[in-house]
Amino acid sequence: MKSISLLTDVPGPKSIAWAARRQRAVPRGVPQITPVFVKSASDATITDVDGNVYLDFYGGIGCINAGHAQPAVVKAIQKQAEAFLHTCFMVAPYESYVALAERINSLAPGDGEKRTFFVNSGAEAVENGIKIARSFTGRPAILCFDDAYHGRTYMAMSVTAKERPYKYGFGPFSQDVYRVQFANPYRSKNAAAESLQAIEETFRHRIPANQVAAILFEPIQGEGGFIVPPAEFVSGLRALCDQYGIVLIADEVQTGYGRTGRVFACEHFGLVPDILLSAKSIAGGMPLAAVTGRAEIMDQPGPGALGGTFGGNPVSCAAALATLRLFEDGYLCSRSQEIGKIFAQRARAWQDRFECIGDIRGLGGMQAIELVLDRKEKTPATELTKEVTRYALQHGLLLVTSGTYGNVIRLLVPLVATDEQMHEGLDVLESAIETLVREEARPCLTSAK
Amino acid sequence: MSYFRKIRGGLTLLNTQPDHCEQLEELQYACFPTLDDDQRFKAKHYRKHIELFPEGQFAVLDGDRVVGATTTLRLHFDLEHVDHSFDEIIAGGWLTSHQPDGVWLYGADIGTHPEYRGRGIAGALYAARQELVWRLGLKGQVTAGMIPGYDAHRAEMSIKEYYDRVVRGDLFDPTVSMQMKTGFEPRGLLANYLNDPVCDNYSVLLVLPAEKSVRFASKESAMSYIHLETDIPGPKAKTALARRAAALPAGWARATDVVVERAKGALVFDVDGNTLIDMAGGIGMLGVGHSPDSVVEAIAQQAAQYIHPCALVTTYEPLLALAELLNEITPGDFPKKTLLANSGAESVENSVKLARKYTGRSTIICFEGAYHGRTLLTLSLTSKYGLFKSGFGPFAPEIVRLPFPNLYRTPAGMTEEQYIDFAIQQLDQAMIAQVDPSAVAAILIEPVQGEAGFLPVPKRFFERIRQICTQHGIVLIADEVQCGSGRTGKLYAVEHYGIVPDLIVSAKALGAGMPIGAVTGRAEIMDSAHLGGIGGTYGGSPVACVAAVAALNILREPDFLAHANLLGEAMREIMEGWKAKWPIVGDVRGLGPMLLTEFVADRQKKTPLPASQVVGIVRQAAARGVILMRAGLFSNCIRFLPPLNMPLDMVREALAIVGDAIGAASEQHCKQDESLLTGVR
């Protein structure tokens, strides 16, 4: 039973008509990665206004791990809307916020006492994580990484790496941000050692460790291209932070809530961060983000110092509680593992056939392929990547890319996707690559002909 | 909805909500299994009842489960000449015979789920009905009671005899005797009123006059919106607050101990069954009140369709509908565009980004007393260091902060006009001494400063700012997060000034409570960001967008703002009365219904009243059922941000309580003063 069903070209006539309205009303700087005009969405498919049904491999950019419009989540939203939409937790609190905070405190890695509060987006979570680290340590500086993405508000932009399109023309940025290379094993044999060394050098030459409030990193870099650092890098960060009294902030906005096959990516590394940031898939797609951390750190700012009108709005909290309940039996996480295996297996077969598959990487269901022009130089195949995603779109598969050079195809499929749907989508992807490159047999790996 | 009570057994009795209609239909089956199906009310009927006479419909909930209900309507009822039948009143289930000025409360139906009988649910429902009678000034309750007990006695006596004996108390009829116990007075047999072969189509006319008291019904509760069962916080609230303290960081702000279970219109219902009047609106979030039906309906429908396909990847109708609406209704006759984000802070951040990109310049001018958010940039632009900023720096560079003319605190020896002249002079001077206009990307200002204490920008000062911006190609950004969306009695506060900003930021009340913020403005500025330069994963959340469109449509209804202004006038009159009476009231100010009281220790010197005493007023008001918030650089003001459609009698009830609290604080303060003066212990 095929999920993809295309009745018209993509975009269809109705979608085209709507596109003109978007152009008139919405600033042109807001990306519009596909011309799809959505009518409805459920599980792992999206239906557009022309009646075309697509397989959704991007899940609202990582927000739909639990699946589109899951009935329990929808019901929770409807019920909460009827009860009350907003009283502002700072003014008149409500139980769902507290219950959710307790739940995330218990899910987050680490046995110690934790505290959680809510804001509206990943960027706001990053901003608050940094505020708290500064308050706790009394220090100004933040250390972050190349290829990092943390958001588009000013401080989040300052710690984000890529100049274009995220930062260009919007400065000046924070003067207190220091950046070193991330540990990318695809691009360096000694990735962990080099990166940790670079941090030590920064401390020696650019900013003393005792002026650094936090090290902020993504356990798997998202926009940077699904870069999975070696375990020694992550444990090395933890050791450095312990040594110098620096707050270690793990940005799990994209890696959280089952994406990697565990609730949080930190679990793969045995890492207990001091502060953990999450958002995206936390609430079935409703705007919500969480800042979770060690109680003594989180309690440093004085009364009234932390806040925000909307943060932890009741409807999002209700959606989040319902979403987290879907994770309770462990099914979605194990599904994530299975999805990851399917992807990796298929991708390895492509790697045997196509020179352009430079790297296959990921954890659990958070998988990606990096496309290169040649395997030795690892020159990014940016154009090819664009064409592959365009082809996929034309054939009913919705994908988003990433990577500093835009040459990484990343998998953010809702974890409710069936094996059938996975293979159907990967068939399209395979056909895209096949069609767009010349096939080249890889010597040595196939049996001698 | 205004009725909300916790009754025996942890059940909740409240006005029926649209959400309950399906369950109510099921309840009819459970309560009246022997009735013909077309005699039972269906969900569609209940929806109509709520539409016609919302305050007359009551449901009893066990958690989410509807376990009891009653349906009433208002009628002119001639007790002496009952010349209609039950069917005629019920009108096929639709209750369209309801007369909005009817003087009797007609009980069409009352039922308790068989599993819940014997728990006093019917009694609680009758009490709720009697309180409604008192509240509306009706003559009483009237209903036609079935007499099922007759069937067992039909062999021995006529129905008339049975009736007489039941009335005398000799015989017990399961229905009529129970109703008599509640307080209903039998006023005779009605023939062919109800279709009930078990009692030969006879029923009893029952009347419960308004003069009678009814168990569990309280005249006091009936006559006020506020209903206090427990202290605030009550026992359930205390438990929740303890959990909150354990789970959340200590620094998370906290204004009241009210733990919310439901909210509707301008009323908040807490977990212990207390009803409070909300004069804070979740910090100005509630222009259209809590959970308006059209907003709730829009959210429910949207969530079922899709929650988040991401506006960066796809497009969808709610996003466009809201953007187009904002482009249309915001001031300015030029082409506009709208960018959606998740909060006021994010929207201000975006407006700054766009201004910088558009002008190629970096400096942002902001004002003392400003509040723009808590992300690092907006925090840098925000004033009030001690509370909001301490420990979180260093802050963003290229920010120039200028003094804001607070007319209440016009320096001694100056008139207000002279003060404004001076402020304009300072502004012009800053353009030389602090920064050159050619380096300024934007001037960012709240047309009515919110956190600073509801300080409207003086008109000439605002005009000078507009002039400077126009002259030097500086982007004028109006932060209308708190003062926009109808708060000042016009859609946007700048409309009071006839000034058109280049960019306008809205949030808070925009989404009727959903997390959404918007930057709307000149298309050329909005389009200055390169592709991919602006956006965000959640921005333009479909559920939030439909809520915002529904909320804006309410705001734009012809009478809505007219009522908001009436509300403002009524409030101002009462608050001026406080000023006349209590010396600690230093100033009453604002714009339209966006009003605030500033408290001082000394009217001449305008010394701020110590914050702790103002907290005392807020606490006292909360203890008596009014939710309030403070404001002001010295935290010595109380701001009023009620839902703009709050009924006038409700605002009077709330402000009477606030007035009492102010009076108490004023007396306390004067006593302190006196004892200081006279040196008396």
Side-chain angles (χ1 to χ4, degrees):
Chain A
M1 207 9 230
K2 291 258 165 216
S3 295
I4 295 173
S5 160
L6 295 177
L7 306 176
T8 70
D9 284 337
V10 177
K14 291 191 178 146
S15 300
I16 291 174
W18 282 104
R21 274 177 71 179
R22 178 178 171 137
Q23 262 190 332
R24 274 198 300 273
V26 176
R28 65 180 186 115
V30 181
Q32 194 188 350
I33 297 174
T34 78
V36 173
F37 199 91
V38 179
K39 175 88 194 294
S40 64
S42 110
D43 291 334
T45 60
I46 289 179
T47 303
D48 77 7
V49 289
D50 294 291
N52 300 313
V53 182
Y54 303 83
L55 261 177
D56 176 5
F57 270 27
Y58 75 97
I61 316 188
C63 296
I64 309 288
N65 289 353
H68 283 289
Q70 296 300 285
V73 177
V74 173
K75 198 137 181 271
I77 290 170
Q78 293 169 334
K79 198 169 141 237
Q80 181 59 53
E82 192 260 320
F84 59 97
L85 289 175
H86 173 87
T87 57
C88 184
F89 192 76
M90 303 192 303
V91 180
Y94 35 92
E95 206 250 344
S96 55
Y97 187 121
V98 178
L100 186 61
E102 289 170 340
R103 184 95 187 91
I104 297 176
N105 285 339
S106 72
L107 285 172
D111 288 324
E113 214 180 310
K114 299 182 214 99
R115 309 266 190 259
T116 290
F117 68 94
F118 299 108
V119 287
N120 305 295
S121 65
E124 288 194 345
V126 168
E127 296 262 349
N128 278 284
I130 290 172
K131 278 167 76 168
I132 292 170
R134 281 176 157 181
S135 176
F136 179 69
T137 58
R139 305 171 184 177
I142 310 295
L143 189 108
C144 58
F145 295 94
D146 286 335
D147 303 310
Y149 179 92
H150 295 291
R152 295 173 184 268
T153 52
Y154 164 82
M155 192 62 188
M157 255 196 301
S158 301
V159 288
T160 292
K162 199 160 146 184
E163 175 70 17
R164 262 208 194 254
Y166 304 124
K167 306 169 71 152
Y168 181 69
F170 299 133
F173 298 105
S174 166
Q175 307 287 295
D176 304 289
V177 171
Y178 297 84
R179 194 183 307 283
V180 303
Q181 70 216 61
F182 195 66
N184 183 346
Y186 179 53
R187 301 230 165 232
S188 161
K189 287 197 175 38
N190 286 318
E194 282 166 16
S195 180
L196 293 169
Q197 171 97 347
I199 296 177
E200 290 278 18
E201 269 164 36
T202 301
F203 293 162
R204 201 169 305 126
H205 300 294
R206 265 167 255 126
I207 180 93
N210 65 10
Q211 289 297 291
V212 177
I215 296 183
L216 169 66
F217 83 114
E218 301 151 86
I220 299 178
Q221 289 194 318
E223 296 305 308
F226 280 27
I227 317 276
V228 184
E232 320 82 270
F233 171 73
V234 178
S235 52
L237 285 184
R238 179 71 268 172
L240 269 174
C241 286
D242 288 341
Q243 185 183 355
Y244 294 116
I246 296 171
V247 173
L248 183 56
I249 305 178
D251 178 341
E252 291 241 23
V253 167
Q254 194 163 159
T255 55
Y257 301 109
R259 191 76 243 152
T260 66
R262 310 284 285 269
V263 176
F264 292 113
C266 286
E267 297 171 45
H268 287 279
F269 298 101
L271 172 70
V272 179
D274 298 307
I275 293 179
L276 186 146
L277 311 173
S278 60
K280 285 191 186 273
S281 277
I282 186 176
M286 292 298 292
L288 188 69
V291 183
T292 304
R294 285 203 287 130
E296 53 160 339
I297 298 178
M298 299 288 284
D299 281 343
Q300 182 63 36
L306 297 173
T309 302
F310 287 135
N313 82 88
V315 180
S316 292
C317 283
L321 284 166
T323 302
L324 289 186
R325 242 170 261 131
L326 296 173
F327 281 90
E328 253 161 39
D329 61 2
Y331 173 74
L332 285 172
C333 282
S334 65
R335 210 35 223 150
S336 175
Q337 307 263 22
E338 283 158 34
I339 283 170
K341 285 201 192 97
I342 292 174
F343 184 94
Q345 205 175 51
R346 297 281 308 255
R348 274 194 295 273
W350 302 338
Q351 203 173 38
D352 284 349
R353 291 167 61 199
F354 306 114
E355 175 77 6
C356 66
I357 312 285
D359 195 24
I360 304 161
R361 56 185 180 246
L363 281 180
M366 188 168 185
Q367 295 287 328
I369 47 175
E370 179 162 350
L371 302 186
V372 295
L373 293 176
D374 83 270
R375 292 210 185 163
K376 212 158 135 247
E377 300 301 309
K378 301 178 180 173
T379 324
T382 308
E383 276 316 305
L384 175 62
T385 310
K386 281 200 192 120
E387 285 166 42
V388 166
T389 49
R390 202 175 301 135
Y391 180 102
L393 169 69
Q394 294 300 323
H395 291 81
L397 176 66
L398 299 175
L399 290 172
V400 295
T401 58
S402 68
T404 299
Y405 299 100
N407 65 325
V408 175
I409 293 175
R410 56 176 153 163
L411 183 68
L412 287 166
V413 68
L415 303 173
V416 293
T418 61
D419 285 4
E420 226 179 0
Q421 286 174 321
M422 283 308 299
H423 284 294
E424 187 183 344
L426 293 171
D427 285 345
V428 173
L429 189 46
E430 180 170 320
S431 151
I433 300 170
E434 258 171 4
T435 309
L436 294 164
V437 298
R438 257 184 15 244
E439 202 177 305
E440 283 184 37
R442 269 199 75 178
C444 312
L445 287 186
T446 56
S447 50
K449 292 217 170 46
Chain B
M1 163 166 120
S2 54
Y3 198 88
F4 178 88
R5 299 280 187 273
K6 294 284 182 189
I7 63 176
R8 220 174 72 197
L11 305 176
T12 307
L13 199 170
L14 74 180
N15 286 126
T16 307
Q17 297 303 297
D19 222 54
H20 302 141
C21 293
E22 262 74 33
Q23 282 200 66
L24 284 164
E25 181 176 324
E26 284 163 29
L27 184 66
Q28 286 271 291
Y29 281 91
C31 292
F32 309 115
T34 57
L35 275 186
D36 285 336
D37 188 51
D38 59 2
Q39 302 246 297
R40 287 187 276 251
F41 293 140
K42 303 291 181 293
K44 58 183 178 179
H45 296 128
Y46 283 108
R47 274 190 269 278
K48 187 69 179 171
H49 305 168
I50 295 172
E51 188 195 310
L52 286 172
F53 184 39
E55 59 263 49
Q57 315 313 317
F58 299 92
V60 177
L61 302 180
D62 183 0
D64 289 331
R65 191 181 173 198
V66 175
V67 299
T70 187
T71 301
T72 72
L73 56 154
R74 290 173 68 159
L75 283 180
H76 293 292
F77 201 99
D78 186 343
L79 298 178
E80 307 309 317
H81 301 102
V82 179
D83 58 357
H84 58 265
S85 69
F86 179 75
D87 280 344
E88 279 163 352
I89 291 185
I90 298 309
W94 300 105
L95 261 52
T96 40
S97 55
H98 166 73
Q99 289 159 305
D101 59 349
V103 298
W104 289 97
L105 187 71
Y106 184 89
D109 163 287
I110 182 165
T112 304
H113 194 285
E115 288 168 26
Y116 284 81
R117 293 197 180 141
R119 296 204 210 177
I121 287 178
L125 287 167
Y126 284 123
R129 282 162 42 164
Q130 191 70 352
E131 286 193 21
L132 185 62
V133 162
W134 292 330
R135 186 176 186 72
L136 297 176
L138 304 180
K139 283 192 167 164
Q141 300 186 42
V142 62
T143 193
M146 294 163 70
I147 24 175
Y150 177 59
D151 205 38
H153 297 272
R154 64 165 63 243
E156 306 127 43
M157 60 188 85
S158 70
I159 190 131
K160 186 81 180 49
E161 279 174 69
Y162 178 75
Y163 170 77
D164 286 338
R165 291 183 68 178
V166 170
V167 170
R168 275 205 305 272
D170 292 345
L171 278 178
F172 179 82
D173 180 276
T175 306
V176 178
S177 301
M178 277 304 304
Q179 283 161 326
M180 285 168 62
K181 199 157 163 239
T182 301
F184 281 95
E185 295 161 7
R187 295 280 182 95
L189 276 173
L190 295 171
N192 297 318
Y193 186 85
L194 272 178
N195 204 14
D196 190 1
V198 162
C199 32
D200 301 343
N201 293 341
Y202 275 96
S203 53
V204 179
L205 179 63
L206 294 160
V207 176
L208 209 173
E211 301 75 54
K212 258 192 150 152
S213 66
V214 169
R215 195 149 174 256
F216 299 126
S218 150
K219 269 226 171 79
E220 206 193 317
S221 286
M223 301 316 285
S224 65
Y225 288 102
I226 293 171
H227 173 80
L228 296 175
E229 280 286 329
T230 70
D231 285 335
I232 297 186
K236 289 204 176 121
K238 284 204 179 101
T239 312
L241 290 168
R243 280 172 66 193
R244 178 188 192 278
L248 268 77
W252 194 255
R254 195 174 107 213
T256 77
D257 287 339
V258 178
V259 179
V260 181
E261 182 167 315
R262 299 183 72 97
K264 190 84 178 173
L267 297 176
V268 167
F269 308 102
D270 84 0
V271 290
D272 293 294
N274 300 307
T275 302
L276 299 97
I277 296 177
D278 188 354
M279 296 296 284
I283 319 184
M285 293 287 308
L286 296 167
V288 296
H290 287 284
S291 293
D293 287 340
S294 61
V295 173
V296 173
E297 179 64 23
I299 289 170
Q301 283 186 3
Q302 181 57 51
Q305 285 296 107
Y306 53 91
I307 296 169
H308 175 80
C310 190
L312 305 181
V313 184
T314 58
T315 311
Y316 38 85
E317 210 260 338
L319 171 72
L320 298 184
L322 180 58
E324 289 169 349
L325 189 52
L326 287 171
N327 291 341
E328 186 198 319
I329 65 177
T330 44
D333 275 328
F334 35 78
K336 298 185 216 110
K337 295 222 173 163
T338 288
L339 174 66
L340 298 171
N342 305 296
S343 64
E346 285 195 346
S347 303
V348 172
E349 289 253 0
N350 275 298
S351 70
V352 168
K353 281 169 83 162
L354 289 164
R356 282 177 160 168
K357 188 77 202 296
Y358 177 70
T359 59
R361 311 170 185 171
S362 35
T363 303
I364 309 295
I365 293 179
C366 62
F367 292 91
E368 282 177 13
Y371 180 96
H372 294 293
R374 295 179 186 257
T375 55
L376 203 79
L377 176 66
T378 55
L379 197 55
S380 309
L381 295 162
T382 291
S383 235
K384 204 157 168 183
Y385 195 96
L387 179 59
F388 297 129
K389 302 172 77 148
S390 200
F392 295 136
F395 297 103
E398 296 301 302
I399 287 175
V400 167
R401 198 182 322 278
L402 300 180
F404 182 95
N406 176 348
L407 294 184
Y408 174 56
R409 292 182 178 275
T410 299
M414 281 191 189
T415 64
E416 281 188 3
E417 291 310 306
Q418 286 169 337
Y419 183 36
I420 295 172
D421 288 336
F422 179 68
I424 292 174
Q425 240 180 62
Q426 294 289 88
L427 182 59
D428 289 340
Q429 190 167 302
M431 293 294 129
I432 303 167
Q434 293 218 43
V435 66
D436 190 270
S438 65
V440 180
I443 299 184
L444 170 66
I445 190 163
E446 300 152 87
V448 179
Q449 288 199 321
E451 292 303 313
F454 286 20
L455 298 167
V457 183
K459 187 154 195 246
R460 284 196 294 121
F461 189 71
F462 208 171
E463 281 165 354
R464 182 72 190 126
I465 291 172
R466 175 68 268 178
Q467 230 176 21
I468 292 173
C469 287
T470 307
Q471 196 183 343
H472 297 285
I474 297 170
V475 176
L476 176 56
I477 306 172
D479 178 340
E480 295 237 11
V481 166
Q482 190 164 166
C483 58
S485 304
R487 180 51 55 189
T488 64
K490 290 190 193 280
L491 216 44
Y492 291 97
V494 286
E495 294 175 43
H496 288 275
Y497 294 88
I499 288 178
V500 178
D502 301 305
L503 297 180
I504 193 161
V505 177
S506 45
K508 282 190 192 281
L510 173 67
M514 296 301 291
I516 187 163
V519 187
T520 303
R522 290 187 181 274
E524 64 266 28
I525 303 177
M526 297 299 294
D527 276 340
S528 64
H530 50 278
L531 181 62
I534 44 179
T537 304
Y538 284 144
S541 154
V543 178
C545 285
V546 299
V549 170
L552 284 170
N553 286 337
I554 296 174
L555 277 178
R556 295 164 72 217
E557 276 164 22
D559 295 324
F560 190 89
L561 287 178
H563 178 88
N565 283 301
L566 267 177
L567 185 70
E569 280 162 24
M571 287 169 65
R572 197 183 264 272
E573 199 185 313
I574 295 170
M575 290 161 71
E576 293 285 355
W578 297 342
K579 188 170 171 196
K581 213 166 163 199
W582 309 116
I584 61 170
V585 178
D587 198 23
V588 167
R589 63 174 178 258
L591 198 51
M594 185 173 180
L595 292 166
L596 165 147
T597 313
E598 179 158 355
F599 297 98
V600 292
D602 177 325
R603 278 210 185 168
Q604 292 302 98
K605 300 195 191 115
K606 300 181 180 171
T607 330
L609 194 71
S612 58
Q613 290 185 37
V614 184
V615 167
I617 297 172
V618 169
R619 285 230 178 93
Q620 237 196 40
R624 288 186 59 197
V626 179
I627 301 176
L628 291 177
M629 275 202 77
R630 290 183 300 149
L633 216 51
F634 309 109
S635 302
N636 65 324
C637 308
I638 290 176
R639 57 177 139 172
F640 297 94
L641 292 162
L644 296 169
N645 48 10
M646 181 183 270
L648 292 180
D649 61 344
M650 195 186 286
V651 83
R652 284 189 225 284
E653 183 180 328
L655 292 183
I657 288 172
V658 178
D660 286 347
I662 294 174
S666 194
E667 274 170 21
Q668 174 84 328
H669 178 81
C670 292
K671 272 206 198 89
Q672 275 175 1
D673 262 2
E674 256 176 47
S675 63
L676 285 172
L677 280 175
T678 61
V680 161
R681 51 262 171 272

